[in-house]
Amino acid sequence: MNQQLKATCAPENALQAVLLDLDGTLLDTLPDLAAAANAMRRELGMPELAYELIGTFIGKGVDNLVRRTLSGQLTTEAIPEDDFNRARSVFYRHYTELNGQACTFYPGVLEGIKAFAGMGIRLGVVTNKPTVFTLPLLERTGLAEHMSVVVCGDTCERRKPDPDQFLLACNKLSAAPAATLAIGDSINDALAARAAGCTVLAVPYGYNEGEPVGNLPVDGIVESIMEASVWASNRFTGRFTASGTTG
C-alpha cells in the first residue's frame, strides 16, 4: 500500500503542502471530549475523571479514548467487548451533541493558516478522529474552507502512528512526502509523518499522552502554527503548486 501512495519526488528545498493534526494542534478540543467522556462515565454509573487526566488519553483515536476512560488510566485493562461496545455507543451519542461547542483555536492558528495560504501552499488535515466527528467540527469552526484534503482516523486501514494517512494525503494533493511539512502535537504525529518521509514540526501545547514534546523525533518545535509558517519560509527556499510547476 505504501508504495502505491507515494508521490513523485520534488526538487530539493521545495514545499508543496502542509498537513496538520487537528486535536491538540489546531483546536483545543479537550473541553468537548472530556465532557462527553464524563457524561459516558456518569451514565454507566462511574465517577467523573479530571479533565487533565482525560487529556492524556487523547491521541490514538476514539476507541482508545473510550477504553482509557473506562479504565481511568493510559494502560487499559482487559475490558469485556460488550462493555466496551456499550460505552462506545454512549460516548458517541454524547460527543455528537457536544462536538465543537466548547473547543477553541490555539493562538496563532488562523494567522498561520493564512500565512501558509499566502505562500501558495495547500493545506490538509490528517487526524485520528473519525470522519463522523471530523467533518462537522471542521465546518463548525470554519476550518473546512482552508483545507484541500482531510484524512481521518477511519479513512485508511491503518492510522497514526502508521504512515498511511500522510501518504494518502500527499497522494491526493499530488505532493511528494519529501516536499510536505507535517505539524502535530504528539508521538503519533511524529512517528507517522517521519515514516512517510515528511519534514516534521511539533507544537508543545497539545495532547502528547501527558509527555513533553522535547524528545519527539521532529525537525523542530514551534510555539504556534504562525511560527511554523515563519520556520517553513526560512527552511524551504522554493515552493511548487500541486501540479508540480514552480509557484
Side-chain angles (χ1 to χ4, degrees):
M1 179 178 180
N2 291 0
Q3 292 299 320
Q4 295 175 346
L5 294 177
K6 284 185 178 178
T8 57
C9 291
E12 188 177 0
N13 294 326
L15 179 60
Q16 293 180 322
V18 175
L19 300 176
L20 301 141
D21 177 52
L22 182 57
D23 299 68
T25 299
L26 297 178
L27 295 171
D28 181 4
T29 54
L30 177 57
D32 296 334
L33 289 166
N38 275 330
M40 178 195 80
R41 283 180 63 92
R42 287 196 305 271
E43 188 167 328
L44 297 175
M46 306 171 72
E48 294 187 3
L49 299 175
Y51 272 30
E52 294 78 10
L53 178 60
I54 295 173
T56 68
F57 298 164
I58 300 171
K60 286 187 168 66
V62 167
D63 285 2
N64 276 287
L65 174 60
V66 171
R67 292 184 187 277
R68 289 169 169 178
T69 301
L70 279 175
S71 68
Q73 57 187 5
L74 274 173
T75 304
T76 58
E77 301 170 354
I79 299 170
E81 200 65 18
D82 287 346
D83 292 345
F84 165 73
N85 288 333
R86 180 190 174 200
R88 185 178 186 273
S89 177
V90 173
F91 177 86
Y92 264 64
R93 172 160 43 81
H94 286 292
Y95 191 51
T96 297
E97 298 176 0
L98 294 166
N99 184 22
Q101 287 192 10
C103 70
T104 56
F105 286 101
Y106 288 106
V109 166
L110 294 178
E111 296 87 344
I113 286 174
K114 291 176 183 177
F116 277 121
M119 295 162 60
I121 305 302
R122 300 179 73 186
L123 300 170
V125 163
V126 176
T127 175
N128 276 348
K129 204 179 198 75
T131 302
V132 67
F133 298 134
T134 300
L135 297 185
L137 183 58
L138 293 176
E139 290 292 340
R140 290 167 188 168
T141 57
L143 284 170
E145 64 183 276
H146 301 289
M147 301 302 158
S148 298
V149 66
V150 178
V151 179
C152 304
D154 50 1
T155 304
C156 299
E157 183 176 350
R158 300 185 302 173
R159 60 176 180 264
K160 297 182 288 187
D162 287 298
D164 297 20
Q165 292 168 282
F166 282 103
L167 292 170
L168 177 61
C170 289
N171 182 268
K172 286 180 174 292
L173 292 175
S174 299
T180 299
L181 174 64
I183 308 173
D185 66 307
S186 75
I187 185 64
N188 305 302
D189 302 314
L191 292 178
R194 180 66 76 212
C198 303
T199 299
V200 193
L201 293 178
V203 292
Y205 49 69
Y207 316 129
N208 188 33
E209 300 182 9
E211 298 295 327
V213 300
N215 293 327
L216 293 182
V218 296
D219 296 288
I221 298 174
V222 292
E223 294 298 320
S224 68
I225 303 303
M226 183 62 207
E227 187 175 313
S229 71
V230 176
W231 188 97
S233 67
N234 291 329
R235 171 68 176 264
F236 297 93
T237 59
R239 61 182 183 272
F240 291 77
T241 66
S243 63
T245 58
T246 303

